[in-house]
Structure formats: structure tokens, C-alpha cells
Amino acid sequence: MKKDKSIKLNAIRKKIDSIDDQIIKLVAKRFNEIHKVADLKDDPNQVVDHERIKKILKSIQIKAKKEKLDTEFAVRLWQLFIPVSYTHLRAHETSLH
């Protein structure tokens, strides 16, 4: 690989690494907000809100399409987040009681 391309490649990789750092911070913030939700719920069984899940997934699909991101990928990513979010909610709820 030519030196010029190598320099460009390294610069792009640094940008990707920076974006990855931002993603991790945003996911951590999301889970912190989930804990706030747990604090407001009186009953651990209130955790799962199927209507909200449908709305979230539809919203993610629309936003992904707008950003020209594969909608199936975006929805699948959120489908990974949701059960983990509920697990965190339940664990946090249990630690409060």
C-alpha cells in the first residue's frame, strides 16, 4: 500500500475508533436512564411494555431508513438491546428492595 493511502487509512480508522468510543458512551447513558425508569416503577412486573417495544422498533426502522442504514440491521441491534435493558431493569429493581 502506498504511503498516502496508508496515512488516509489510519486517519479513517482513528475516526472509526472515535465513533466507537461515542457509541459506548451513549449505550452507557442509555442504561443509566433505564435505571431511572426502574426507580420509578413500583412493581418489577411492570418492566415489560410490549406496546412501547413496538413503537421503539418502528421508530428505529424509520430513523435507520432516513439515515440510509440497513433497517433490518438497526432493528436487530435494538432487539438485542431490549432484553438486556429489561434484565438491567429487573436487576436494578431487585437491588433497590
Side-chain angles (χ1 to χ4, degrees):
M1 184 181 301
K2 292 183 179 179
K3 188 176 179 182
D4 187 43
K5 283 188 176 182
S6 180
I7 291 170
K8 286 180 183 179
L9 180 63
N10 286 335
I12 293 169
R13 286 180 173 162
K14 283 184 180 184
K15 285 181 183 179
I16 292 169
D17 292 345
S18 176
I19 292 167
D20 288 346
D21 292 344
Q22 292 173 41
I23 291 169
I24 293 296
K25 287 178 183 178
L26 288 171
V27 170
K29 283 182 181 182
R30 188 179 195 282
F31 280 104
N32 287 335
E33 295 302 313
I34 288 168
H35 290 168
K36 291 177 187 178
V37 169
D39 292 342
L40 295 173
K41 293 196 174 186
D42 298 324
D43 180 1
N45 295 323
Q46 287 181 315
V47 171
V48 178
D49 183 344
H50 296 286
E51 285 304 312
R52 177 153 168 73
I53 292 170
K54 286 180 190 176
K55 287 178 185 177
I56 290 170
L57 294 177
K58 183 64 178 171
S59 174
I60 293 303
Q61 193 175 34
I62 291 166
K63 291 173 185 176
K65 188 173 183 177
K66 181 180 176 185
E67 295 296 326
K68 296 179 174 65
L69 177 64
D70 182 302
T71 56
E72 185 178 328
F73 166 77
V75 168
R76 288 180 69 198
L77 181 61
W78 254 259
Q79 286 173 327
L80 290 172
F81 275 137
I82 292 168
V84 174
S85 298
Y86 287 129
T87 301
H88 275 266
L89 270 171
R90 287 188 183 105
H92 185 71
E93 180 76 20
T94 303
S95 71
L96 294 175
H97 299 291

